[in-house]
Amino acid sequence: QVQLVESGGGSVQAGGSLRLSCAASGYYYKYYMAWFRQAPGKEREGVAAIYTAGGGTYYADSVKGRFTISQDNAKNTLYLQMNSLKSEDTATYYCAADPRFSAWLLVQKGQADFAYWGQGTQVTVSS
């Protein structure tokens, strides 16, 4: 069982930055971890993902060059550094974890099939 708790959301003006954190507990070595987001009336979207045992990463085209996913294994924490924020980045952001390679493949196809989820943290970007 993996427990995930996100933090770091808030309100920021367009062009600003935020760093989201996801504190993980339980066994999650060799898991795929990801950040998803969901805006009102829209489907949940995979933003970025990382393989905890190898560091391979994935980014959605909409955030490439602006967002960076990283992990601190000593702190059991996943991060999402978000720079050059736009109003369209406004959403609830969720941290997710799954041991299956299929989850890694699906997030790259825009599908949110992860086993473990955090409660979400709100990010609001004003223009």
Side-chain angles (χ1 to χ4, degrees), residues 3-23:
Q3 294 81 41
L4 305 169
V5 179
E6 303 97 333
S7 62
S11 297
V12 64
Q13 290 192 331
S17 298
L18 281 175
R19 188 177 77 160
L20 305 183
S21 299
C22 173

Side-chain angles (χ1 to χ4, degrees), residues 10-18 84-91 122-127:
S11 297
V12 64
Q13 290 192 331
S17 298
L18 281 175
S84 303
L85 283 162
K86 305 175 182 179
S87 57
E88 51 263 44
D89 295 319
T90 295
Q122 178 66 36
V123 171
T124 302
V125 184
S126 58
S127 56

Side-chain angles (χ1 to χ4, degrees), residues 27-101:
Y27 181 80
Y28 62 96
Y29 179 64
K30 291 188 178 180
Y31 272 48
Y32 301 92
M33 297 191 74
W35 288 97
F36 289 82
R37 66 186 180 187
Q38 188 166 21
K42 295 188 177 181
E43 292 188 354
R44 193 164 294 190
E45 171 191 20
V47 174
I50 190 168
Y51 179 48
T52 59
T57 57
Y58 158 79
Y59 294 95
D61 289 343
S62 57
V63 305
K64 276 182 183 176
R66 301 188 298 122
F67 290 12
T68 302
I69 189 171
S70 62
Q71 58 181 352
D72 186 333
N73 290 332
K75 296 182 179 180
N76 291 346
T77 302
L78 180 75
Y79 299 102
L80 184 68
Q81 177 67 43
M82 306 186 294
N83 298 328
S84 303
L85 283 162
K86 305 175 182 179
S87 57
E88 51 263 44
D89 295 319
T90 295
T92 300
Y93 283 71
Y94 299 90
C95 174
D98 197 292
R100 301 169 299 166
F101 182 63

